[in-house]
Amino acid sequence: MSWELSKVPLPKEHKAAVCIWDDLDVTTTEAILGAAGDRDEIQRQLIEIYDLADNKQNKRSAILLDLYYFTIQFALERGFSKEQTSSFFSIVKKTHEVCIETPFGNLEQCFNYFKELVLCHAVKRPPWSISLFNPEEVKAVTEYVVNTYFRHFKLYKYAFTPVVRLDLAINYVGLPDTPEPEEAADVAGEEEPVTVPETETEGAVQEELGETEHVWIVQRLDSTDCTYLYVPQYEWPYLCSLNFRDFEVSS
């Protein structure tokens, strides 16, 4: 998927509000609480409500189903009322929606939004907030979401947001345009290779090594009576089966 930069949502702040019954109405919440202990039945209801029937093939649907189910399971373990269960479910769901609304990093905005959502359901200040969770329950909810959702924040973002790739081109004012790669290859192919005459190469070697043309280097092998003669003007040394004393080193 390729997006134009103007179409990629950027991180932004969100204003929290009371969200009781927003995602789970009274009837649905009562049905889910009535199925406590029956994982298959709770998952069946969540699949039906949020159209997650493809969770066996679609990994995103499978992740959402697990997120929603374990949120309900935590509410059941804590003995939350139907109002608390619905509100807690919406808090987690809305936090997740803010997380995946942009492929860019928005951990700070997302966590601030989560804290405000919790406060909206922990302080009696109608109509902006209601006293639904006591301080102990607020602590339990915060610890659960931090240790489960925010601990895997980047994994959720990776799974639910597209990868953004930046192609950057720089134009320098006043300089000639850089040729395209194909044109540069053609120009390079037309250039003739520079060759160095053999005479120059040989002269440089002779100058570096000195006048070795008439010098014979004799190396005697200690283990045998044979001697290798290394003659510079030949490629390979000559093997001679003569004693070392039979040779003279002359220049």
Side-chain angles (χ1 to χ4, degrees):
M1 181 184 295
S2 59
W3 288 3
E4 296 179 5
L5 183 59
S6 59
K7 296 181 180 180
V8 179
L10 299 177
K12 60 182 180 180
E13 299 289 343
H14 291 265
K15 185 173 181 58
V18 176
C19 54
I20 185 173
W21 313 127
D22 280 3
D23 298 290
L24 295 178
D25 57 24
V26 179
T27 304
T28 303
T29 305
E30 290 178 347
I32 290 176
L33 293 179
D38 189 347
R39 176 171 182 165
D40 293 337
E41 176 60 22
I42 295 176
Q43 288 186 336
R44 187 195 65 78
Q45 295 189 42
L46 293 173
I47 289 172
E48 182 178 349
I49 296 170
Y50 295 105
D51 192 20
L52 302 175
D54 61 342
N55 64 89
K56 299 297 183 182
Q57 299 80 26
N58 190 332
K59 295 187 181 300
R60 290 184 178 179
S61 297
I63 294 172
L64 280 179
L65 182 59
D66 282 347
L67 176 64
Y68 295 161
Y69 169 76
F70 287 107
T71 300
I72 296 294
Q73 185 63 27
F74 175 79
L76 292 172
E77 292 176 356
R78 294 290 305 183
F80 285 172
S81 65
K82 57 185 178 182
E83 292 84 3
Q84 290 175 320
T85 301
S86 175
S87 299
F88 176 59
F89 184 88
S90 293
I91 289 173
V92 174
K93 184 173 181 293
K94 291 180 182 297
T95 300
H96 174 68
E97 290 172 351
V98 171
C99 167
I100 66 174
E101 71 178 3
T102 173
F104 299 109
N106 63 338
L107 176 60
E108 183 177 354
Q109 293 89 341
C110 192
F111 187 66
N112 290 337
Y113 181 61
F114 163 73
K115 291 189 297 182
E116 291 179 6
L117 282 173
V118 174
L119 289 176
C120 284
H121 300 81
V123 179
K124 187 175 182 180
R125 192 181 171 216
W128 297 281
S129 62
I130 58 177
S131 179
L132 198 58
F133 297 106
N134 59 39
E136 181 182 352
E137 291 168 337
V138 169
K139 180 181 178 181
V141 165
T142 303
E143 289 180 350
Y144 172 80
V145 176
V146 169
N147 291 328
T148 57
Y149 189 84
F150 285 103
R151 186 178 295 274
H152 305 96
F153 185 82
K154 290 185 177 180
L155 291 178
Y156 282 106
K157 185 172 288 291
Y158 175 80
F160 287 90
T161 59
V163 177
V164 178
R165 184 182 66 183
L166 176 62
D167 293 329
L168 183 63
I170 301 176
N171 293 325
Y172 294 95
V173 179
L175 294 179
D177 295 335
T178 303
E180 296 296 330
E182 294 79 5
E183 298 178 2
D186 295 341
V187 173
E190 294 176 358
E191 295 180 356
E192 297 182 357
V194 179
T195 58
V196 180
E198 294 183 1
T199 56
E200 295 182 9
T201 305
E202 294 176 357
V205 173
Q206 290 291 341
E207 183 179 357
E208 182 179 352
L209 299 179
E211 297 181 358
T212 59
E213 184 176 359
H214 303 293
V215 177
W216 288 4
I217 303 173
V218 181
Q219 177 182 358
R220 183 178 181 180
L221 302 179
D222 296 334
S223 60
T224 65
D225 291 332
C226 298
T227 302
Y228 280 104
L229 296 183
Y230 289 86
V231 185
Q233 58 264 38
Y234 293 96
E235 238 179 68
W236 300 98
Y238 291 99
L239 177 62
C240 301
S241 58
L242 298 176
N243 292 331
F244 183 75
R245 64 177 176 274
D246 295 334
F247 286 88
E248 294 181 0
V249 179
S250 61
S251 57

PDB file of all heavy atoms in Angstrom, residues 16-30:
ATOM      1  N   ALA A  16     -10.867  13.023  25.962  1.00  0.00           N
ATOM      2  CA  ALA A  16     -11.601  11.887  26.517  1.00  0.00           C
ATOM      3  C   ALA A  16     -12.990  12.312  26.977  1.00  0.00           C
ATOM      4  O   ALA A  16     -13.242  13.483  27.291  1.00  0.00           O
ATOM      5  CB  ALA A  16     -10.828  11.289  27.693  1.00  0.00           C
ATOM      6  N   ALA A  17     -13.894  11.345  26.998  1.00  0.00           N
ATOM      7  CA  ALA A  17     -15.265  11.585  27.451  1.00  0.00           C
ATOM      8  C   ALA A  17     -15.812  10.282  28.028  1.00  0.00           C
ATOM      9  O   ALA A  17     -15.251   9.203  27.832  1.00  0.00           O
ATOM     10  CB  ALA A  17     -16.145  12.066  26.303  1.00  0.00           C
ATOM     11  N   VAL A  18     -16.895  10.393  28.767  1.00  0.00           N
ATOM     12  CA  VAL A  18     -17.532   9.212  29.344  1.00  0.00           C
ATOM     13  C   VAL A  18     -18.011   8.304  28.207  1.00  0.00           C
ATOM     14  O   VAL A  18     -18.661   8.766  27.253  1.00  0.00           O
ATOM     15  CB  VAL A  18     -18.721   9.622  30.239  1.00  0.00           C
ATOM     16  CG1 VAL A  18     -19.438   8.387  30.767  1.00  0.00           C
ATOM     17  CG2 VAL A  18     -18.249  10.492  31.392  1.00  0.00           C
ATOM     18  N   CYS A  19     -17.692   7.016  28.303  1.00  0.00           N
ATOM     19  CA  CYS A  19     -17.993   6.101  27.187  1.00  0.00           C
ATOM     20  C   CYS A  19     -18.768   4.867  27.634  1.00  0.00           C
ATOM     21  O   CYS A  19     -18.659   3.809  27.015  1.00  0.00           O
ATOM     22  CB  CYS A  19     -16.706   5.683  26.480  1.00  0.00           C
ATOM     23  SG  CYS A  19     -15.444   4.993  27.561  1.00  0.00           S
ATOM     24  N   ILE A  20     -19.537   4.987  28.701  1.00  0.00           N
ATOM     25  CA  ILE A  20     -20.345   3.863  29.145  1.00  0.00           C
ATOM     26  C   ILE A  20     -21.407   3.550  28.098  1.00  0.00           C
ATOM     27  O   ILE A  20     -22.035   4.455  27.546  1.00  0.00           O
ATOM     28  CB  ILE A  20     -20.978   4.166  30.527  1.00  0.00           C
ATOM     29  CG1 ILE A  20     -21.717   2.943  31.057  1.00  0.00           C
ATOM     30  CG2 ILE A  20     -21.867   5.393  30.478  1.00  0.00           C
ATOM     31  CD1 ILE A  20     -22.226   3.111  32.486  1.00  0.00           C
ATOM     32  N   TRP A  21     -21.580   2.290  27.774  1.00  0.00           N
ATOM     33  CA  TRP A  21     -22.517   1.763  26.787  1.00  0.00           C
ATOM     34  C   TRP A  21     -22.160   2.158  25.343  1.00  0.00           C
ATOM     35  O   TRP A  21     -22.974   1.946  24.450  1.00  0.00           O
ATOM     36  CB  TRP A  21     -23.965   2.186  27.071  1.00  0.00           C
ATOM     37  CG  TRP A  21     -24.434   2.021  28.478  1.00  0.00           C
ATOM     38  CD1 TRP A  21     -25.003   2.985  29.249  1.00  0.00           C
ATOM     39  CD2 TRP A  21     -24.392   0.831  29.268  1.00  0.00           C
ATOM     40  NE1 TRP A  21     -25.316   2.499  30.494  1.00  0.00           N
ATOM     41  CE2 TRP A  21     -24.953   1.159  30.541  1.00  0.00           C
ATOM     42  CE3 TRP A  21     -23.937  -0.471  29.067  1.00  0.00           C
ATOM     43  CZ2 TRP A  21     -25.077   0.245  31.568  1.00  0.00           C
ATOM     44  CZ3 TRP A  21     -24.050  -1.386  30.090  1.00  0.00           C
ATOM     45  CH2 TRP A  21     -24.611  -1.035  31.320  1.00  0.00           C
ATOM     46  N   ASP A  22     -20.998   2.693  25.119  1.00  0.00           N
ATOM     47  CA  ASP A  22     -20.646   3.075  23.748  1.00  0.00           C
ATOM     48  C   ASP A  22     -20.431   1.868  22.848  1.00  0.00           C
ATOM     49  O   ASP A  22     -20.860   1.866  21.682  1.00  0.00           O
ATOM     50  CB  ASP A  22     -19.368   3.939  23.738  1.00  0.00           C
ATOM     51  CG  ASP A  22     -19.651   5.380  24.096  1.00  0.00           C
ATOM     52  OD1 ASP A  22     -20.827   5.692  24.408  1.00  0.00           O
ATOM     53  OD2 ASP A  22     -18.710   6.195  24.081  1.00  0.00           O
ATOM     54  N   ASP A  23     -19.753   0.838  23.346  1.00  0.00           N
ATOM     55  CA  ASP A  23     -19.411  -0.319  22.521  1.00  0.00           C
ATOM     56  C   ASP A  23     -20.159  -1.583  22.938  1.00  0.00           C
ATOM     57  O   ASP A  23     -20.386  -2.460  22.100  1.00  0.00           O
ATOM     58  CB  ASP A  23     -17.897  -0.571  22.599  1.00  0.00           C
ATOM     59  CG  ASP A  23     -17.097   0.603  22.059  1.00  0.00           C
ATOM     60  OD1 ASP A  23     -17.119   0.826  20.841  1.00  0.00           O
ATOM     61  OD2 ASP A  23     -16.453   1.317  22.867  1.00  0.00           O
ATOM     62  N   LEU A  24     -20.480  -1.685  24.180  1.00  0.00           N
ATOM     63  CA  LEU A  24     -21.297  -2.811  24.665  1.00  0.00           C
ATOM     64  C   LEU A  24     -22.544  -2.239  25.331  1.00  0.00           C
ATOM     65  O   LEU A  24     -22.444  -1.575  26.361  1.00  0.00           O
ATOM     66  CB  LEU A  24     -20.505  -3.666  25.664  1.00  0.00           C
ATOM     67  CG  LEU A  24     -19.271  -4.414  25.139  1.00  0.00           C
ATOM     68  CD1 LEU A  24     -18.588  -5.177  26.270  1.00  0.00           C
ATOM     69  CD2 LEU A  24     -19.643  -5.368  24.012  1.00  0.00           C
ATOM     70  N   ASP A  25     -23.699  -2.475  24.726  1.00  0.00           N
ATOM     71  CA  ASP A  25     -24.925  -1.962  25.323  1.00  0.00           C
ATOM     72  C   ASP A  25     -25.334  -2.841  26.500  1.00  0.00           C
ATOM     73  O   ASP A  25     -24.678  -3.836  26.826  1.00  0.00           O
ATOM     74  CB  ASP A  25     -26.043  -1.861  24.285  1.00  0.00           C
ATOM     75  CG  ASP A  25     -26.330  -3.196  23.609  1.00  0.00           C
ATOM     76  OD1 ASP A  25     -26.027  -4.247  24.204  1.00  0.00           O
ATOM     77  OD2 ASP A  25     -26.805  -3.190  22.460  1.00  0.00           O
ATOM     78  N   VAL A  26     -26.454  -2.482  27.112  1.00  0.00           N
ATOM     79  CA  VAL A  26     -26.883  -3.187  28.328  1.00  0.00           C
ATOM     80  C   VAL A  26     -27.158  -4.653  28.045  1.00  0.00           C
ATOM     81  O   VAL A  26     -26.708  -5.550  28.778  1.00  0.00           O
ATOM     82  CB  VAL A  26     -28.136  -2.508  28.917  1.00  0.00           C
ATOM     83  CG1 VAL A  26     -28.605  -3.268  30.167  1.00  0.00           C
ATOM     84  CG2 VAL A  26     -27.858  -1.057  29.256  1.00  0.00           C
ATOM     85  N   THR A  27     -27.901  -4.915  26.976  1.00  0.00           N
ATOM     86  CA  THR A  27     -28.275  -6.302  26.657  1.00  0.00           C
ATOM     87  C   THR A  27     -27.048  -7.158  26.378  1.00  0.00           C
ATOM     88  O   THR A  27     -26.928  -8.279  26.888  1.00  0.00           O
ATOM     89  CB  THR A  27     -29.217  -6.323  25.445  1.00  0.00           C
ATOM     90  OG1 THR A  27     -30.357  -5.498  25.716  1.00  0.00           O
ATOM     91  CG2 THR A  27     -29.668  -7.737  25.136  1.00  0.00           C
ATOM     92  N   THR A  28     -26.126  -6.640  25.575  1.00  0.00           N
ATOM     93  CA  THR A  28     -24.927  -7.398  25.222  1.00  0.00           C
ATOM     94  C   THR A  28     -24.050  -7.638  26.439  1.00  0.00           C
ATOM     95  O   THR A  28     -23.522  -8.738  26.637  1.00  0.00           O
ATOM     96  CB  THR A  28     -24.123  -6.642  24.152  1.00  0.00           C
ATOM     97  OG1 THR A  28     -24.947  -6.396  23.017  1.00  0.00           O
ATOM     98  CG2 THR A  28     -22.909  -7.439  23.731  1.00  0.00           C
ATOM     99  N   THR A  29     -23.913  -6.617  27.288  1.00  0.00           N
ATOM    100  CA  THR A  29     -23.086  -6.764  28.481  1.00  0.00           C
ATOM    101  C   THR A  29     -23.670  -7.811  29.411  1.00  0.00           C
ATOM    102  O   THR A  29     -22.938  -8.647  29.974  1.00  0.00           O
ATOM    103  CB  THR A  29     -22.959  -5.416  29.205  1.00  0.00           C
ATOM    104  OG1 THR A  29     -22.474  -4.423  28.307  1.00  0.00           O
ATOM    105  CG2 THR A  29     -22.001  -5.533  30.381  1.00  0.00           C
ATOM    106  N   GLU A  30     -24.982  -7.802  29.581  1.00  0.00           N
ATOM    107  CA  GLU A  30     -25.620  -8.801  30.436  1.00  0.00           C
ATOM    108  C   GLU A  30     -25.438 -10.208  29.875  1.00  0.00           C
ATOM    109  O   GLU A  30     -25.198 -11.165  30.634  1.00  0.00           O
ATOM    110  CB  GLU A  30     -27.112  -8.486  30.593  1.00  0.00           C
ATOM    111  CG  GLU A  30     -27.385  -7.241  31.445  1.00  0.00           C
ATOM    112  CD  GLU A  30     -28.862  -6.923  31.537  1.00  0.00           C
ATOM    113  OE1 GLU A  30     -29.629  -7.522  30.741  1.00  0.00           O
ATOM    114  OE2 GLU A  30     -29.248  -6.091  32.375  1.00  0.00           O
TER     115      GLU A  30
END
